[in-house]
Amino acid sequence: MLSVAGTFAPPFLARGYTKRGGFCCRADSAQAQDDGGSNNRKKKVVVVGSGWAGLGAAHHLCNQGFDVTVLDGGNGLGSPDNVGIQGFWYPYRNIFSLVDELGIKPFTNWTRSAQYSEAGLEVEFPVFQDLPQWPTPFGTFFYTQFARIPLVDRLTALPLISAGKLSNAFSFDIIDFDNTDVAWRKYDSITARELLKQFGCSERLYHDIFGPLLQVGLFAPAEQCSAAATLALLYYFILAHQKHFDMAYCGGTTREKIFQPWMDSMKAKGCEFLDGGIVTDFILNDETGCITEVVCDKDTYSADAVILGIGVFRLQEIIKKSAALCAREEFLKVLNLAGIDVVTVKLQMDRKVVIPNASNACSGFDDLCGWTFFDLNAIHDEHQDNPATIVEADFYHSSELLLLNDEAIVEKVMLYLSKCIKDFESANVVDKEIRRFPKSLTHFFPGSYKYMMRVSTSFPNLFMAGDWIVNRHGSWSQEKSYVTGLEAANRVVDYLEEGSFAKIIPVEEDEPHIETLRSLNRSLNEIRTQLPFSNFFLQ
């Protein structure tokens, strides 16, 4: 087995591996050339989905000279996989490399955030680069988070803060969860709340810190979140390295600032984008078991390889229509997965309201619904000189809000905003834009891991990508979607035996003491599996 970013993965997951001859060099940025021979027609790849996953795959395959067609039957071409306003974190090394390659500068500076409850401002998070570095890898995060928490509650966080000590239950969980398949299966069966309860988290710490964090991180209440997903998210975004809690944002919509120039660059290389292409089925070659055509209602598109870079809900819709996919167990299992409803509300006020921080997370207003609000005057370039305040509020796990009419939604949002910042009470809404996204975000509920798919499928030439796809890179959210798109593109390169592999930047290596403890833990686990009755007791 090969080691990738501190985890173990099959050889085909490692960067640069090919069935054609072991390892190859990094992908060339120049488009591969066709020498014009009659037997050298460009091989056709159909990519379904035009978010981070689909465009990531299409981008690399265009650079390798394939004939690429991108179909999108969802929210329009260039729609991000993650709806609402999403921040870009320090660990998004592949996305930052992409925008450098495109020669664009879409991001704001690193921003400070705040957390609100019904009682008003709870805490402001300073930009981490401005803080002194603390002696533990988690010190800075917990210094800012826990400053307002009573000492007795803070003491219950010691198992997490001192994660180098195996005697602490939650510390051991952090060490034990190394993003392997074994670790995911072990921790995915319990809820995040159960995990936090096991390590002795106080009610105040849970209510004020971890609960709100999961409502805007995994988009659901902690009692509905997988402990495995919780450990993966906490470690990748916050606990691995001190600076990771800062975020940058797009200076406009992601579609406008990143996806549109990205798609323009691909169109210049011959990539074809077709909106409204709702996939309904696939035509198979009975002899090879490969997909030869993608069916969109009355239209069909021939393909040497296919990539589905879409979310769970859209894939479920395709599965229900497709005789080909319904015949495969791996796709039927996907029907057990769930999505999270999102409502985004963009409001323009009739006056200026001072919003101290551009990004704000909120909790306690509703037991099930987490939400964020953003000062678009501070984030989006086009609104910086607007004399009136423009704000966007994004609501996650918002099934109840989804059914309300626009007027009722605006009334509730303004009530919530007024509890955060009193000046909203005297402001009036002069313009609104409300968008509803049913089942649009992945719900990492307890037990969901066993239903999720890998990049490769039982169809030799069909590959998957998205933030819900199982991989061992260790990234999350937009970065994971993009990385799995590159991984799917690499499987196409390997399958069609043409082109070079995309260079996927691994996540930063674990800090030395964490990697040492994880190596020791893996060794102990291997020894334990050899002991008699190792599989007798419930794990």
Side-chain angles (χ1 to χ4, degrees):
M1 304 290 277
L2 297 173
S3 178
V4 180
T7 64
F8 289 96
F12 58 75
L13 290 180
R15 187 184 69 210
Y17 178 84
T18 169
K19 68 184 183 182
R20 290 173 282 162
F23 293 89
C24 72
C25 62
R26 60 177 293 179
D28 296 325
S29 59
Q31 184 173 347
Q33 299 295 316
D34 190 331
D35 63 13
S38 59
N39 295 324
N40 292 324
R41 70 165 180 86
K42 287 186 176 182
K43 292 185 177 177
K44 297 184 178 182
V45 182
V46 173
V47 177
V48 182
S50 61
W52 285 106
L55 293 185
H59 173 77
H60 181 69
L61 293 173
C62 281
N63 286 344
Q64 301 311 303
F66 291 100
D67 182 352
V68 180
T69 299
V70 177
L71 305 175
D72 194 291
N75 297 313
L77 287 167
S79 297
D81 305 280
N82 306 89
V83 297
I85 295 180
Q86 300 289 328
F88 293 80
W89 302 66
Y90 275 105
Y92 287 7
R93 302 166 74 186
N94 288 280
I95 286 180
F96 292 139
S97 176
L98 168 70
V99 299
D100 288 343
E101 178 187 341
L102 295 175
I104 58 178
K105 298 185 180 297
F107 298 123
T108 66
N109 294 326
W110 301 110
T111 65
R112 93 171 11 185
S113 303
Q115 180 181 320
Y116 288 87
S117 71
E118 282 190 300
L121 179 64
E122 292 286 345
V123 64
E124 289 183 293
F125 306 122
V127 176
F128 272 41
Q129 289 191 23
D130 299 336
L131 289 175
Q133 299 300 292
W134 285 66
T136 71
F138 317 134
T140 304
F141 171 69
F142 285 100
Y143 167 77
T144 60
Q145 284 275 37
F146 293 169
R148 69 195 190 337
I149 301 293
L151 177 60
V152 66
D153 294 279
R154 274 184 269 171
L155 291 175
T156 68
L158 286 178
L160 179 56
I161 297 174
S162 55
K165 300 179 180 179
L166 288 176
S167 59
N168 295 309
F170 194 79
S171 303
F172 183 79
D173 291 334
I174 290 290
I175 301 302
D176 193 40
F177 186 82
D178 57 2
N179 204 42
T180 59
D181 183 70
V182 171
W184 268 91
R185 292 183 182 277
K186 177 179 179 179
Y187 287 95
D188 189 58
S189 61
I190 62 174
T191 71
R193 191 182 190 282
E194 290 172 316
L195 182 72
L196 294 167
K197 181 180 178 180
Q198 287 175 12
F199 91 81
C201 176
S202 75
E203 181 67 26
R204 174 75 182 270
L205 194 64
Y206 174 79
H207 183 270
D208 288 2
I209 301 295
F210 290 112
L213 185 64
L214 292 179
Q215 280 196 317
V216 299
L218 290 177
F219 312 113
E223 61 268 23
Q224 297 183 28
C225 294
S226 156
T230 299
L231 289 168
L233 177 137
L234 286 175
Y235 191 76
Y236 176 67
F237 279 133
I238 299 169
L239 301 181
H241 303 279
Q242 294 187 49
K243 294 182 179 180
H244 286 186
F245 203 58
D246 295 342
M247 280 180 285
Y249 292 91
C250 266
T253 66
T254 304
R255 180 185 296 189
E256 169 198 4
K257 291 292 185 178
I258 299 178
F259 284 12
Q260 194 58 57
W262 194 8
M263 290 191 296
D264 289 343
S265 72
M266 285 186 267
K267 290 176 182 177
K269 298 172 184 175
C271 184
E272 185 177 13
F273 291 88
L274 299 175
D275 199 359
I278 301 176
V279 175
T280 55
D281 209 346
F282 303 89
I283 305 300
L284 302 182
N285 181 312
D286 292 334
E287 294 183 0
T288 64
C290 292
I291 292 172
T292 58
E293 292 179 279
V294 178
V295 181
C296 297
D297 293 325
K298 297 179 181 180
D299 297 320
T300 59
Y301 302 91
S302 61
D304 296 297
V306 178
I307 295 174
L308 300 183
I310 53 180
V312 168
F313 182 59
R314 286 189 57 200
L315 178 60
Q316 289 173 336
E317 291 181 320
I318 293 174
I319 292 170
K320 292 173 184 177
K321 298 174 183 176
S322 170
L325 300 190
C326 279
R328 303 294 172 104
E329 182 181 1
E330 65 199 310
F331 287 95
L332 291 177
K333 286 183 176 181
V334 172
L335 299 178
N336 293 291
L337 295 175
I340 290 174
D341 297 328
V342 179
V343 174
T344 69
V345 184
K346 182 179 177 181
L347 303 175
Q348 180 172 336
M349 305 296 149
D350 62 351
R351 67 195 65 189
K352 194 69 174 179
V353 176
V354 177
I355 303 175
N357 298 281
S359 169
N360 307 274
C362 307
S363 64
F365 295 78
D366 187 296
D367 290 338
L368 296 179
C369 182
W371 63 289
T372 52
F373 71 93
F374 304 90
D375 180 3
L376 296 191
N377 300 83
I379 295 176
H380 286 187
D381 299 336
E382 64 176 308
H383 299 312
Q384 288 182 359
D385 297 325
N386 195 314
T389 288
I390 300 177
V391 62
E392 177 167 322
D394 298 336
F395 291 82
Y396 318 109
H397 205 266
S398 56
S399 304
E400 296 176 13
L401 195 65
L402 195 74
L403 300 178
L404 299 181
N405 60 40
D406 287 1
E407 290 70 24
I409 290 176
V410 170
E411 181 180 355
K412 177 168 283 195
V413 172
M414 288 301 293
L415 175 63
Y416 283 2
L417 288 173
S418 298
K419 290 182 178 181
C420 298
I421 298 173
K422 189 173 180 59
D423 286 351
F424 274 107
E425 291 180 355
S426 58
N428 298 304
V429 176
V430 297
D431 195 14
K432 66 180 183 296
E433 179 182 336
I434 298 174
R435 304 182 70 193
R436 297 166 175 83
F437 301 94
K439 312 299 181 186
S440 57
L441 295 177
T442 305
H443 187 188
F444 294 93
F445 61 85
S448 59
Y449 178 77
K450 60 180 173 287
Y451 304 123
M452 294 181 178
M453 298 186 69
R454 275 58 176 171
V455 176
S456 293
T457 72
S458 59
F459 297 98
N461 66 335
L462 173 61
F463 307 97
M464 308 298 300
D467 72 344
W468 63 281
I469 299 299
V470 174
N471 78 342
R472 300 299 165 221
H473 182 262
S475 51
W476 204 258
S477 195
Q478 302 105 298
E479 175 81 351
K480 183 180 179 183
S481 291
Y482 178 55
V483 166
T484 57
L486 296 181
E487 291 177 338
N490 284 347
R491 304 296 175 87
V492 171
V493 167
D494 191 30
Y495 171 74
L496 296 179
E497 299 187 339
E498 289 184 12
S500 299
F501 290 99
K503 179 182 184 295
I504 299 174
I505 304 171
V507 297
E508 291 182 320
E509 294 182 359
D510 289 325
E511 293 180 349
H513 68 288
I514 297 294
E515 178 53 35
T516 298
L517 290 171
R518 281 187 165 167
S519 296
L520 175 61
N521 183 59
R522 283 194 289 266
S523 298
L524 292 174
N525 284 337
E526 290 176 2
I527 294 172
R528 186 165 57 246
T529 59
Q530 305 303 316
L531 297 176
F533 304 106
S534 62
N535 296 320
F536 179 76
F537 295 101
L538 180 66
Q539 300 296 311

